[in-house]
Amino acid sequence: MQIGEICHLTDEEDVGAIADSFNSISKQYQEVKMEDIDILEIAEGTITQFSRSQIYEHMEKIKTNKASVPGDIPAKILKENSDILCIPMADIVNSCLQTGKWPDFYKIEYITPVGKVYPVETLDQLRPISNLVNCDKILEKIVSEMVISDMKDKLDPSQYGNQTKLSIQHYLISLMHRIVSSLDNNSKGEVNAVIATFIDWSKAYSRQCHKLGIESFIRNGVRPFLIPLLISYFQKIIVKFHGKLSKPRNQPGSGAQGATLGNWEFLSQTNNSADCVPVEDCFKYVDDLSILEIVNLLSVGLSSHNFKSQVAADIPIHGQIISKNDLKSQHYLNEINKWTRNKKMVINEKKTISMIINFTQKYQFTTRLQLKDENIETVDQMKILGTIINKNLTWDDNCKMLLEKVNRRMLLLKEILNFGATIEEMVHCWIVYCRSQLEQSAIVWSSSLSKENIEDLERAQKAFAKLVLKERYTNDENGYTNALLMLNLETLEKRRTDLSLNFAQNCIKNEKMTEYFHEKKNVHSIDLRNTEKYEVFSANTDRMRDSSIINMQNLLNSDHKAKQEQIIEMNKI
């Protein structure tokens, strides 16, 4: 990777310039000191100690396929010899907990710069990804588990990031369900629209004040004996680039991006970032924040813009506008910006955007939400965690983006085939590099695809089958079906259905998603043969009926019915 801004420098100068760039924000903060923090008294006998068997279990979970930092003990050696090495490791862990000091050797964070865009022209377009020594990862994992356990009850229910059994798809499904369900009653006389605002923090992880981070850990209930250890945790950085290592730089601020405790410091510090927004209208995924406002268009105060006094480029032809002062969204932005300043962070007003979702004919409108006295852009579509959502709630733009990605990767597959790869190897490459892209967050949008979307996505797999099978692929009506049998593949449509069902089955066991999957209560004592097991939400529009939640509810009921029929058939035998 070459960086345009510093391409004229030597590799040694490059790595130094990158390290200085990453370190520049950190130096804006003061180093946290023990005397700066009001720590509760640590009661005698409350410091947790770990047995060798407990440390052994943690060492057995080390991932051996991850890169190691220069000079570190390889993860494979630690894992294979964990029955012996758990003895000194237990002593290290217990000593750290007793003394409240993180080992100096573990405090070095090795940074690999990764481009946010390509080609990379400036240092600001680099993202720091950290790597730590393997023994530090074990210690971090143990401490993090205690931190997570302590914070669990106080963690913002709007937060979906960095938690077990929760993913981007849970976040997006909940967000989309809130939007679609809020607009579903328009056919019954309600006149609602939704304003979705996506807030972007500038270099969110880098702009962390450790003093505020420690205070947030205390506020969120982290046990007192961990606080001195967390104060001692904050690290130095060494940047690795083109095989060269920079000199160590102290990090008085900034969180370790990619380190478990770095993630949890950010989650703790931003736990109350959007307390002004109702829980049902707030959706967080680590540093991504989306807020919604359900606008009642009959009572909000819709007015006509006077084009005679001012010709405004941002007012559509309908000429109707709602003042920002009449919207809760403006209040939310003001409060979140105030919170941001208090936490010594920065909102990127250029990347903070809003989108109006409004299916009425008579009550179309626009607005001028502001952040830092600047109008934020109102867009027709926004990309949230890799998925494009547009104001019409259709998936044409998202499918187009996915297909463009796959078409570029198909060029690579052609080169691999020309190099002599077998059919089995080509199928593996298709699954890993292409099909995975076509199924990105598929649970969110699969049930709402148009017939054209379904055919466009399937066509990509047809093209792959023709590429690999060549003359063995026939163009008759059974050609594609036969090709899938030869390649041992399924149609993408069936794959999406299976993925949705599997996801729904997992959601039943997930505390955060159980509100969508209630078992139906039989109010009669009569055992009805065709009773559905799970409640299906009522819907007034096709948009709601085709939503991911209702689709999964129906899939669960169909699966339950199929299993019941199988049991009946088996009993007959």
Short mmCIF file of all heavy atoms in Angstrom, two decimals, residues 10 46 79 97 108 125 127 129 146 163 220 373 387 437 464 494 517 534 551 556 568:
data_model
loop_
_atom_site.label_atom_id
_atom_site.label_comp_id
_atom_site.label_asym_id
_atom_site.label_seq_id
_atom_site.Cartn_x
_atom_site.Cartn_y
_atom_site.Cartn_z
N THR A 10 11.29 7.74 2.63
CA THR A 10 11.80 6.37 2.77
C THR A 10 10.85 5.58 3.67
O THR A 10 10.00 6.16 4.35
CB THR A 10 13.20 6.37 3.40
OG1 THR A 10 13.12 6.89 4.73
CG2 THR A 10 14.17 7.22 2.58
N THR A 46 -12.18 -9.15 48.55
CA THR A 46 -13.07 -9.00 47.38
C THR A 46 -12.33 -9.14 46.06
O THR A 46 -12.96 -9.15 45.00
CB THR A 46 -13.78 -7.63 47.40
OG1 THR A 46 -12.78 -6.60 47.40
CG2 THR A 46 -14.66 -7.50 48.63
N LYS A 79 -0.98 -22.56 23.24
CA LYS A 79 -2.13 -23.46 23.32
C LYS A 79 -1.69 -24.91 23.52
O LYS A 79 -2.25 -25.64 24.35
CB LYS A 79 -2.97 -23.34 22.06
CG LYS A 79 -4.29 -24.10 22.12
CD LYS A 79 -5.19 -23.72 20.96
CE LYS A 79 -6.57 -24.39 21.10
NZ LYS A 79 -7.49 -23.94 20.05
N LEU A 97 -4.10 -8.58 39.39
CA LEU A 97 -5.34 -8.24 40.09
C LEU A 97 -5.06 -7.76 41.51
O LEU A 97 -5.73 -6.86 42.02
CB LEU A 97 -6.28 -9.45 40.11
CG LEU A 97 -6.80 -9.92 38.73
CD1 LEU A 97 -7.56 -11.23 38.86
CD2 LEU A 97 -7.69 -8.85 38.10
N ILE A 108 2.42 -2.56 25.18
CA ILE A 108 2.78 -2.09 23.84
C ILE A 108 1.74 -2.58 22.84
O ILE A 108 1.45 -3.77 22.74
CB ILE A 108 4.19 -2.57 23.44
CG1 ILE A 108 5.22 -2.01 24.41
CG2 ILE A 108 4.51 -2.13 22.02
CD1 ILE A 108 6.63 -2.49 24.17
N GLN A 125 -6.71 9.13 5.92
CA GLN A 125 -7.50 8.05 5.33
C GLN A 125 -7.04 6.68 5.83
O GLN A 125 -7.45 5.65 5.28
CB GLN A 125 -7.41 8.11 3.81
CG GLN A 125 -8.08 9.35 3.22
CD GLN A 125 -7.86 9.50 1.73
OE1 GLN A 125 -6.90 8.96 1.18
NE2 GLN A 125 -8.73 10.24 1.06
N ARG A 127 -6.77 3.83 8.97
CA ARG A 127 -7.42 3.38 10.21
C ARG A 127 -6.41 2.53 10.98
O ARG A 127 -5.84 1.58 10.43
CB ARG A 127 -8.67 2.57 9.90
CG ARG A 127 -9.38 2.02 11.14
CD ARG A 127 -10.61 1.22 10.80
NE ARG A 127 -11.71 2.11 10.43
CZ ARG A 127 -12.22 2.23 9.22
NH1 ARG A 127 -11.69 1.54 8.23
NH2 ARG A 127 -13.22 3.04 8.97
N ILE A 129 -5.31 -0.41 13.23
CA ILE A 129 -5.79 -1.70 13.75
C ILE A 129 -4.69 -2.26 14.67
O ILE A 129 -3.55 -2.45 14.23
CB ILE A 129 -6.10 -2.69 12.62
CG1 ILE A 129 -7.16 -2.09 11.69
CG2 ILE A 129 -6.57 -4.03 13.19
CD1 ILE A 129 -8.50 -1.80 12.35
N MET A 146 -15.01 -9.84 33.43
CA MET A 146 -15.49 -9.27 34.69
C MET A 146 -16.14 -7.91 34.46
O MET A 146 -17.18 -7.58 35.04
CB MET A 146 -14.33 -9.16 35.70
CG MET A 146 -13.85 -10.50 36.23
SD MET A 146 -12.65 -10.34 37.57
CE MET A 146 -11.16 -10.01 36.65
N GLN A 163 -21.29 -7.60 21.57
CA GLN A 163 -21.96 -8.46 22.54
C GLN A 163 -22.22 -9.82 21.93
O GLN A 163 -22.50 -9.93 20.74
CB GLN A 163 -23.28 -7.82 22.98
CG GLN A 163 -23.10 -6.49 23.69
CD GLN A 163 -24.43 -5.82 23.98
OE1 GLN A 163 -25.20 -6.29 24.79
NE2 GLN A 163 -24.69 -4.72 23.31
N ASN A 220 -20.69 2.86 35.68
CA ASN A 220 -21.44 1.72 35.14
C ASN A 220 -21.28 0.45 35.97
O ASN A 220 -21.67 -0.64 35.52
CB ASN A 220 -21.03 1.46 33.69
CG ASN A 220 -21.52 2.56 32.76
OD1 ASN A 220 -22.62 3.08 32.90
ND2 ASN A 220 -20.68 2.95 31.80
N ASP A 373 -24.49 24.76 13.73
CA ASP A 373 -24.96 25.88 12.90
C ASP A 373 -24.83 25.63 11.40
O ASP A 373 -24.86 26.56 10.60
CB ASP A 373 -24.20 27.18 13.27
CG ASP A 373 -24.47 27.60 14.70
OD1 ASP A 373 -25.61 27.40 15.17
OD2 ASP A 373 -23.54 28.11 15.35
N THR A 387 -24.98 -1.94 4.36
CA THR A 387 -26.26 -2.14 3.68
C THR A 387 -26.86 -0.80 3.29
O THR A 387 -26.93 0.10 4.12
CB THR A 387 -27.24 -2.91 4.59
OG1 THR A 387 -26.68 -4.20 4.90
CG2 THR A 387 -28.59 -3.10 3.91
N GLN A 437 -20.70 -12.28 -0.37
CA GLN A 437 -21.05 -10.88 -0.61
C GLN A 437 -22.53 -10.74 -0.97
O GLN A 437 -23.21 -9.82 -0.49
CB GLN A 437 -20.20 -10.32 -1.74
CG GLN A 437 -18.72 -10.16 -1.41
CD GLN A 437 -18.48 -9.15 -0.32
OE1 GLN A 437 -19.03 -8.05 -0.35
NE2 GLN A 437 -17.67 -9.50 0.67
N PHE A 464 -21.48 -17.67 -12.89
CA PHE A 464 -20.39 -18.48 -12.34
C PHE A 464 -20.48 -19.92 -12.85
O PHE A 464 -19.47 -20.52 -13.23
CB PHE A 464 -20.44 -18.47 -10.81
CG PHE A 464 -19.55 -19.51 -10.17
CD1 PHE A 464 -18.18 -19.34 -10.16
CD2 PHE A 464 -20.10 -20.67 -9.63
CE1 PHE A 464 -17.35 -20.33 -9.61
CE2 PHE A 464 -19.29 -21.64 -9.06
CZ PHE A 464 -17.92 -21.47 -9.06
N LYS A 494 -33.17 -20.05 -2.16
CA LYS A 494 -33.33 -21.06 -1.10
C LYS A 494 -32.34 -20.81 0.03
O LYS A 494 -32.68 -20.98 1.21
CB LYS A 494 -33.13 -22.46 -1.67
CG LYS A 494 -33.40 -23.56 -0.63
CD LYS A 494 -33.23 -24.94 -1.20
CE LYS A 494 -33.62 -26.01 -0.16
NZ LYS A 494 -32.87 -25.90 1.09
N PHE A 517 -40.79 -12.63 18.84
CA PHE A 517 -41.13 -14.03 18.62
C PHE A 517 -41.82 -14.61 19.86
O PHE A 517 -41.22 -15.32 20.66
CB PHE A 517 -39.88 -14.84 18.26
CG PHE A 517 -39.17 -14.32 17.03
CD1 PHE A 517 -38.06 -13.49 17.16
CD2 PHE A 517 -39.63 -14.62 15.76
CE1 PHE A 517 -37.41 -13.00 16.04
CE2 PHE A 517 -38.99 -14.13 14.64
CZ PHE A 517 -37.89 -13.32 14.77
N TYR A 534 -46.26 -19.59 16.64
CA TYR A 534 -45.76 -18.25 16.96
C TYR A 534 -46.72 -17.18 16.45
O TYR A 534 -47.31 -17.31 15.38
CB TYR A 534 -44.37 -18.03 16.35
CG TYR A 534 -43.33 -18.95 16.96
CD1 TYR A 534 -43.00 -20.15 16.35
CD2 TYR A 534 -42.71 -18.62 18.16
CE1 TYR A 534 -42.07 -21.00 16.90
CE2 TYR A 534 -41.77 -19.46 18.73
CZ TYR A 534 -41.46 -20.65 18.10
OH TYR A 534 -40.54 -21.50 18.67
N ASN A 551 -41.71 -12.18 8.03
CA ASN A 551 -41.23 -13.31 7.22
C ASN A 551 -40.67 -14.40 8.12
O ASN A 551 -40.96 -15.60 7.93
CB ASN A 551 -40.16 -12.82 6.25
CG ASN A 551 -39.54 -13.96 5.44
OD1 ASN A 551 -40.23 -14.70 4.75
ND2 ASN A 551 -38.23 -14.10 5.56
N LEU A 556 -40.97 -19.70 10.90
CA LEU A 556 -40.99 -20.52 12.13
C LEU A 556 -42.27 -21.35 12.20
O LEU A 556 -42.23 -22.54 12.57
CB LEU A 556 -40.87 -19.63 13.36
CG LEU A 556 -39.49 -19.03 13.65
CD1 LEU A 556 -39.58 -18.02 14.77
CD2 LEU A 556 -38.48 -20.12 14.00
N ILE A 568 -46.55 -37.02 12.79
CA ILE A 568 -47.80 -37.74 12.52
C ILE A 568 -47.55 -38.89 11.55
O ILE A 568 -48.03 -40.01 11.75
CB ILE A 568 -48.87 -36.77 11.95
CG1 ILE A 568 -49.30 -35.77 13.02
CG2 ILE A 568 -50.07 -37.54 11.42
CD1 ILE A 568 -50.15 -34.63 12.49
#
